[in-house]
Amino acid sequence: MPVLDSAPMLRALLRASHQATLEQLPRLLTLHAGRAGLHNARLFVSDLQEEVLRELTGAGRDAGGEGSELPIDSTLAGRVFRTAQFLSTSTNGTVDVWLPVLNGTERLGVLRLTPSMPVTAVEQEAMDDLATLLGLILVTKRPTSDSYARLTRSRRMAVSAEMQWTLMPARTFVNDRVTIAAQMEPAYETAGDAYDYALAGDTVHLAVFDAMGHDTAAGLTATLALAVCRNLRRQGADFAEMCEAVETLLLAHFDHDRYVTGILATLDLTTGTLRWVSCGHPPPLFIRANRRILHPDHPAHHPLGTDLGLPLTVTRVQLQPGDRVLFYTDGITEPRDADGLEFGVDRFTDFIIRHQSAGLPVPETLRRLVHAVLDHHQGALADDATVLLCEWHGSTDHTDELADTSTPDVYPV
């Protein structure tokens, strides 16, 4: 009985990938997987809006020539993508295995294999390792491959969206203490929205921006705000310094003609303390034990670029393990249906609670949320819609109540 020896396959594929182009990856996969007894290898990647999986064949201007396209919501391959779980099918004694291809926890696509040996736990682990390696190879080729960009797009992208997507971090990050996931729509025309997150030791930095307007200038405004905050954050600046720097730069460039609202936040992964400031932006929503937790309203700082002179108030909230925090732009809650009814905050939070209660992964919940918002507004949005979810998994140090101690932290302007 043949046994899968994965080490030579993984080593050979890794070494060959160093100088390979994206277009050469399918051939290398077929060659090295086939030598290990894994035949009919086919690699699919998700489109930008996570609606379909497109086969990477290496042919044509998008490296997907003559490849298949599989809907994510109605196929077995799509189910693997949605759940990020291994599945197999058997037809006339032939077993096909489908595996999620991930960048860490960011969903990239799926891999199909036909093993020539029985699939035991050892073989499944080896195939998982192959899918993991392919995910790592894909993300190293993605930034320098126009073919990958073409394959994952369904229509022309606006200049502002091109700029925004280049700057955004991965849509999903998970470790033992935190889950972070984001979605942004409309994917091809987004202009004024941006999100950001980063980890530094025991601290998570989070941000959402919403710039005035829906044009290239709005995209530039949001991009400047994001870049300034990243730059100063990496120098150890606090909220007040970052907001002041964004305000100064926007005034210098646009002279009160453009502004950006936003939320900047930090989460202490050891204590669960969340600190945040709002600059003319909707406050975050908190979900605990599948219900929304309300907190007192706090004065917001003025939108950055307006120079209104309002003080900056830092709000502190003590999270419990399992608490979820939702940062969002008004494009999530304000779309109206044909009868003029807004999607609304209640529908938004109920959607998250319902789908998380059903056991869906966070990225899949947000994917469905954005599609629900689109459906509510007849398939097209009049404004950008962005959501950033952060869930703290907990630590040994936490309190039992949602605390609010924002009053002392007020920065004059």
Side-chain angles (χ1 to χ4, degrees):
M1 181 180 296
V3 177
L4 175 56
D5 182 7
S6 62
M9 168 187 66
L10 297 173
R11 183 166 56 247
L13 180 57
L14 177 60
R15 290 178 175 175
S17 73
H18 292 319
Q19 296 185 13
T21 65
L22 180 81
E23 287 82 355
Q24 293 171 320
L25 183 56
R27 180 179 62 81
L28 293 174
L29 170 62
T30 298
L31 173 66
H32 296 294
R35 287 176 177 173
L38 301 174
H39 305 293
N40 304 320
R42 298 172 67 186
L43 179 59
F44 296 80
V45 296
S46 168
D47 75 312
L48 187 61
Q49 291 179 297
E50 298 181 331
E51 294 178 338
V52 296
L53 295 163
R54 297 195 175 115
E55 186 175 1
L56 179 65
T57 64
R61 66 190 300 271
D62 64 356
E66 301 181 1
S68 299
E69 181 174 290
L70 307 175
I72 286 176
D73 284 321
S74 59
T75 62
L76 185 142
R79 181 179 171 190
V80 171
F81 180 85
R82 296 193 312 268
T83 62
Q85 294 181 345
F86 166 106
L87 287 175
S88 63
T89 59
S90 179
T91 305
N92 298 324
T94 299
V95 175
D96 288 328
V97 175
W98 295 83
L99 305 105
V101 177
L102 308 170
N103 169 30
T105 51
E106 177 193 13
R107 302 178 300 180
L108 300 176
V110 299
L111 171 66
R112 195 200 78 171
L113 300 167
T114 304
S116 60
M117 70 290 292
V119 180
T120 67
V122 172
E123 278 70 31
Q124 181 176 335
E125 182 175 317
M127 288 185 283
D128 283 337
D129 289 342
L130 175 58
T132 298
L133 178 58
L134 287 171
L136 294 174
I137 294 173
L138 278 176
V139 297
T140 64
K141 306 302 177 186
R142 180 169 59 179
T144 57
S145 174
D146 281 350
S147 298
Y148 189 97
R150 294 186 184 116
L151 184 60
T152 58
R153 296 180 187 184
S154 299
R155 57 182 184 272
R156 175 178 289 185
M157 179 173 285
V159 172
S160 56
E162 190 82 56
M163 183 168 53
Q164 297 298 79
W165 281 114
T166 302
L167 291 172
M168 299 301 104
R171 284 185 271 190
T172 311
F173 174 86
V174 179
N175 69 11
D176 60 336
R177 296 197 287 179
V178 69
T179 291
I180 303 169
Q183 284 285 347
M184 192 164 64
E185 188 69 34
Y188 297 95
E189 292 87 24
T190 185
D193 278 12
Y195 69 86
D196 194 21
Y197 67 84
L199 282 78
D202 292 327
T203 301
V204 175
H205 299 273
L206 304 147
V208 169
F209 299 100
D210 183 359
M212 165 197 161
H214 307 99
D215 53 12
T216 303
L220 180 59
T221 304
T223 298
L224 287 172
L226 186 151
V228 169
C229 288
R230 273 186 186 169
N231 180 260
L232 290 180
R233 182 184 76 213
R234 290 165 179 172
Q235 298 178 50
D238 60 22
F239 291 142
E241 292 169 313
M242 287 188 279
C243 291
E244 181 180 359
V246 172
E247 175 106 287
T248 299
L249 186 63
L250 295 185
L251 289 171
H253 277 271
F254 299 113
D255 191 22
H256 297 85
D257 288 335
R258 292 281 173 170
Y259 63 84
V260 62
T261 71
I263 285 188
L264 304 178
T266 61
L267 172 62
D268 187 315
L269 292 175
T270 301
T271 65
T273 301
L274 181 78
R275 300 172 68 250
W276 56 273
V277 296
S278 171
C279 300
H281 200 84
L285 301 174
F286 297 86
I287 297 175
R288 171 176 299 163
N290 288 331
R291 64 187 182 93
R292 181 153 60 103
I293 302 296
L294 301 177
H295 57 83
D297 290 332
H298 299 283
H301 189 54
H302 56 263
L304 302 176
T306 59
D307 195 24
L308 296 179
L310 298 178
L312 185 70
T313 301
V314 179
T315 301
R316 282 189 178 89
V317 172
Q318 178 60 50
L319 302 184
Q320 291 184 20
D323 281 358
R324 283 159 278 170
V325 187
L326 297 166
F327 305 91
Y328 64 99
T329 64
D330 55 17
I332 290 286
T333 56
E334 292 185 357
R336 297 178 181 272
D337 62 15
D339 297 322
L341 183 64
E342 283 191 348
F343 193 81
V345 169
D346 289 340
R347 191 194 306 259
F348 171 32
T349 50
D350 287 347
F351 188 99
I352 297 293
I353 290 169
R354 185 170 66 254
H355 284 74
Q356 289 286 269
S357 297
L360 285 179
V362 172
E364 179 60 18
T365 296
L366 296 192
R367 185 186 79 91
R368 296 188 185 193
L369 168 69
V370 168
H371 288 182
V373 172
L374 281 166
D375 290 343
H376 187 79
H377 203 253
Q378 298 84 54
L381 296 176
D383 192 8
D384 297 343
T386 298
V387 58
L388 177 65
L389 183 150
C390 178
E391 178 178 341
W392 183 53
H393 302 320
S395 181
T396 55
D397 238 350
H398 62 272
T399 61
D400 293 331
E401 300 299 328
L402 190 68
D404 180 353
T405 57
S406 63
T407 306
D409 291 347
V410 179
Y411 295 96
V413 293

